Amino acid sequence: MSARTAAPAAVTSTLSRALLAAFALAVAVDLVSLLAGADLGHRIAKPLLMPLLAAYAATRGAPRLLIVALLFGWGGDVFLLFDADWAFLVGMGSFAAGHVCYLAIFGRRSASVPLGIAYAVALVGTVALLWPDLPADLRVPVAGYSLLLTAMAYRAGSLGLTAGAGGALFLLSDTLIATGVAEWPQLPAPDFWIMATYIAAQYLLTTGVLTQAYGERSTAA
């Protein structure tokens, strides 16, 4: 590598580390705020999470669809800050668009058949249990979204354990949200667990996609 190309690479590396540190700081502020009951801190930090993660991914040469998926996640994050059914539906739609982007990234890579069966059983069982307790106007949208989310979580495993864990945690996070909508008994500090699993999911999915992208570039070279 020549000195001319090394300098921009060093700048990009420094920017990547700075963005990742900023993301980690926003995560800490958000989660601590949720534990402390500081709603203002949560409302300030939450909208910063996905843009920072997307910017970090961009400096790492992420596929464009990954950036779009994370920004759709940002849209969902923002709309879910509003306590209204319309905002919940729009936010869910934004997350759904992000899942479509992830599915496009995963492509036709092979995934475990037994894992797919396990996810299918979990989907049917969860929707069947939640159905009677969900508001009538949310039942069909939640069921449709759950199908798409489960497909994304399953297909994420085709990129390896890291992305697969991210997909599973995304499913867990949104299941926790759904149990809250259904007014089931909740864990202590439920919003903390929802955000902790969601943030970990998006980070692991991002890491998994970036790792796969670098591997493909190396193979192509």
Side-chain angles (χ1 to χ4, degrees):
M1 180 182 294
S2 68
R4 184 173 297 178
T5 58
V11 171
T12 300
S13 178
T14 300
L15 179 59
S16 293
R17 289 195 295 269
L19 287 167
L20 188 59
F23 171 71
L25 177 60
V27 170
V29 171
D30 189 51
L31 296 182
V32 170
S33 295
L34 288 172
L35 286 175
D39 187 60
L40 179 59
H42 172 59
R43 289 182 173 275
I44 291 173
K46 185 181 181 183
L48 298 176
L49 296 169
M50 291 307 105
L52 287 170
L53 185 57
Y56 162 73
T59 64
R60 296 288 307 280
R64 186 173 300 176
L65 274 175
L66 175 60
I67 307 302
V68 175
L70 292 171
L71 292 180
F72 274 126
W74 169 75
D77 290 345
V78 170
F79 279 107
L80 290 189
L81 287 172
F82 299 94
D83 186 18
D85 286 349
W86 70 266
F88 179 80
L89 288 170
V90 174
M92 187 166 60
S94 190
F95 282 124
H99 297 327
V100 171
C101 292
Y102 278 125
L103 286 169
I105 293 170
F106 303 149
R108 296 183 179 180
R109 294 178 176 87
S110 61
S112 165
V113 173
L115 180 62
I117 295 172
Y119 269 122
V121 171
L123 169 66
V124 172
T126 301
V127 171
L129 289 171
L130 286 169
W131 188 271
D133 297 323
L134 291 170
D137 59 335
L138 293 181
R139 287 172 180 167
V140 173
V142 167
Y145 174 80
S146 298
L147 176 60
L148 181 59
L149 170 60
T150 303
M152 186 281 292
Y154 164 57
R155 294 292 302 145
S158 66
L159 258 64
L161 288 176
T162 300
L169 285 173
F170 214 134
L171 182 61
L172 173 60
S173 178
D174 281 6
T175 300
L176 292 175
I177 293 175
T179 61
V181 173
E183 297 184 352
W184 284 15
Q186 298 292 293
L187 294 168
D191 289 342
F192 169 84
W193 295 110
I194 289 169
M195 286 304 299
T197 49
Y198 166 70
I199 293 166
Q202 292 280 37
Y203 177 75
L204 289 172
L205 283 166
T206 298
T207 301
V209 172
L210 288 173
T211 300
Q212 182 67 30
Y214 281 127
E216 288 178 347
R217 287 172 194 155
S218 176
T219 301

